[in-house]
Amino acid sequence: MVKDGAAHLRGLRDARTIFIDGRRVADVTTDPAFAGAVASAASLYDLQAEDPEGMTFDLGDGTRTGLAWMLPRNHAELVKRRVAMERIAARSCGMMGRSPDHVASTFVGFMAGRHAYDSRGGAALSSYFEAARRADHWIGYVIINPQADKSRQAKDQPGGDLVARIVDEDAGGITIRGAKMLATAGVMANELMVSGIVALMPGDEPYAFTAVMPLATKGIKLLSRRSYEAAVTSVFDYPLSARFDENDAVVFFEDVKIPWDRVFVHRDLRMMQAQWHETRAHVMQNYQCIVRLSVKLRFLLGLAHRIAETNGILGFPQTRETLGLLAAKASSIEAMVVAMEAQGEDFHGVFVPDRRLLVSAQVLAQTIYPEFIEAIRGLSGGGLVMVPSSAADFDGGEVERIIQASQRSPVAGSEDRVKLMKLAWDAVGSEFGSRHLQYEMFYSGPQFAIRGNSYRFHDWTGPKAMVQGFMDSYGLDRAPAKAAAE
Ligand SMILES: Cc1cc2nc3c(=O)[nH]c(=O)nc-3n(C[C@H](O)[C@H](O)[C@H](O)COP(=O)(O)OP(=O)(O)OC[C@H]3O[C@@H](n4cnc5c(N)ncnc54)[C@H](O)[C@@H]3O)c2cc1C
């Protein structure tokens, strides 16, 4: 039995609390702010049900679950898992960043480093992992604190309930209160993990916890940002916004009680860092991100090429130079995926991608994406806005005749030209496209933090030894002191 889209939709019709535009959402699967993206989310599970061999694996008793939950034992299994993740990403042209394979990958990384946990936390993690993958849960996560005053620790922020913290605990579990920033795709997930990735200081113990709970748990409140999907005039006008607006929401925990068997880290400052970096959670979750990005860049590359063809500029050397540069950038990310797999390591029985190459890809991704967007805008010129106001202008009459007269291309009819330019605008310029730029620049952390990881995880021994070796091969050509005196 494989979880399919219908099963996922059934699971979302629960008591979850989501607020948007001054109202509470009754049913996220039908609400006009979310229904299109939720349908796309469900289709990811249909993809698994349609091709269980290619997208799922057997847990040993006939239960099949998404390949992202697999603890790969060797290079071949890692690659098989990656191919499934590529197919998930391709469904949304790489536009759904927090698809179910993302946090599943985090948990695979936690499990690879299971030894880093204390015995209670490790046991809770293992039993949750088994249950979550058996249910093929979609898990969202919040691991960053709300912006306020970055110069102060969480405990020193004025106003009390800003950052989620433990406010009570008893034999049953912990109770948390406060906020976390941005659960992407939280509205369409089954469960939510809350944790922290920014280093904590002594005194921050109430903020040092990692736990997971169903989205519908009493007291969890999601405050959605504006829905881009709700604002679209038609799929033709906003083909990406209409279907792949995965949503971002601030999460407020209002005295949320979490049982101990769902608490993996408890008041442990060291473990809050160790859970990411002494395990392979940081590697596995960001490997999924880079795999997804490689699919997205392939899509954007195709878009850039098609725009050039449509505008009759493909034959110009300057255009080919631009496209050649974009192709090389997309290929470099693709190549890094292959390389980090080829140089993967056995980490306590789990075969994981090479960490140094993974963080290098993250660093490059943060600059390549904005460069892609700028280049596509540059290739497009005013064509991105030289489009009819909406699909309604194709009225079969006077306005459509003018559209046919004014929307021309050497390779496309007027409808196809408008269709392409509207797609391109949605990818790079609409509110949806603009959010994607922000996403790719920030989802894994600010640049200084990602570059800091690159510094930290690079093995400097080889480069330093090479310089020293070369410098040792020569010196000042001093004449012997005695000869100089004579
Ligand atoms: C679209 C989107 C989706 C997201 N989805 C998720 C999600 O699903 N789950 C989740 O947990 N998080 C999510 N995030 C949050 C994301 O992880 C953070 O945005 C990211 O870690 C950066 O943190 P910040 O937003 O507080 O920015 P900041 O850290 O405040 O960075 C803003 C600027 O301040 C500078 N700055 C901050 N601190 C310092 C410092 N100490 N020294 C020097 N400069 C500094 C930075 O360099 C940067 O220029 C999402 C973010 C976005 C934009």
Side-chain angles (χ1 to χ4, degrees), residues 452-474:
N453 280 341
S454 173
Y455 176 81
R456 179 174 164 196
F457 296 131
H458 198 88
D459 181 358
W460 296 99
T461 326
K464 280 168 61 184
M466 197 174 168
V467 172
Q468 190 61 51
F470 184 70
M471 286 176 70
D472 288 347
S473 71
Y474 61 91

Side-chain angles (χ1 to χ4, degrees), residues 328-473:
K329 286 175 179 170
S331 299
S332 71
I333 295 293
E334 219 174 285
M336 289 182 89
V337 169
V338 173
M340 67 183 81
E341 291 167 350
Q343 291 201 25
E345 57 165 337
D346 183 292
F347 189 80
H348 301 276
V350 182
F351 191 81
V352 298
D354 180 73
R355 174 158 66 182
R356 177 177 65 90
L357 292 176
L358 181 271
V359 292
S360 304
Q362 282 187 279
V363 169
L364 296 183
Q366 285 188 325
T367 52
I368 283 180
Y369 193 80
E371 289 163 3
F372 247 77
I373 299 306
E374 192 182 344
I376 292 176
R377 280 174 169 263
L379 286 170
S380 306
L384 293 176
V385 282
M386 191 198 82
V387 285
S389 56
S390 77
D393 287 337
F394 288 87
D395 61 356
E398 179 188 357
V399 183
E400 187 161 352
R401 272 200 310 281
I402 299 172
I403 292 173
Q404 279 165 357
S406 55
Q407 296 286 343
R408 299 290 186 88
S409 159
V411 296
S414 56
E415 186 180 320
D416 259 7
R417 183 192 158 84
V418 173
K419 191 175 183 182
L420 175 68
M421 290 301 170
K422 280 183 175 281
L423 169 61
W425 180 245
D426 211 10
V428 306
S430 69
E431 201 167 358
F432 174 93
S434 184
R435 178 263 180 199
H436 270 265
L437 179 58
Q438 206 67 8
Y439 181 80
E440 301 295 354
M441 288 170 69
F442 277 102
Y443 73 78
S444 61
Q447 278 191 355
F448 76 88
I450 305 305
R451 292 175 186 186
N453 280 341
S454 173
Y455 176 81
R456 179 174 164 196
F457 296 131
H458 198 88
D459 181 358
W460 296 99
T461 326
K464 280 168 61 184
M466 197 174 168
V467 172
Q468 190 61 51
F470 184 70
M471 286 176 70
D472 288 347
S473 71

Side-chain angles (χ1 to χ4, degrees), residues 98 141-145 147 150 181-184 248 435 438-439 442-446 448:
R98 296 299 193 228
Y141 70 2
V142 278
I143 58 174
I144 300 291
N145 298 340
Q147 284 184 336
K150 289 264 167 181
M181 110 181 310
L182 289 189
T184 295
D248 310 286
R435 178 263 180 199
Q438 206 67 8
Y439 181 80
F442 277 102
Y443 73 78
S444 61
F448 76 88

Side-chain angles (χ1 to χ4, degrees), residues 58-70:
D58 194 329
L59 285 172
D61 60 359
T63 308
R64 296 194 74 91
T65 193
L67 267 168
W69 289 108
M70 175 190 260

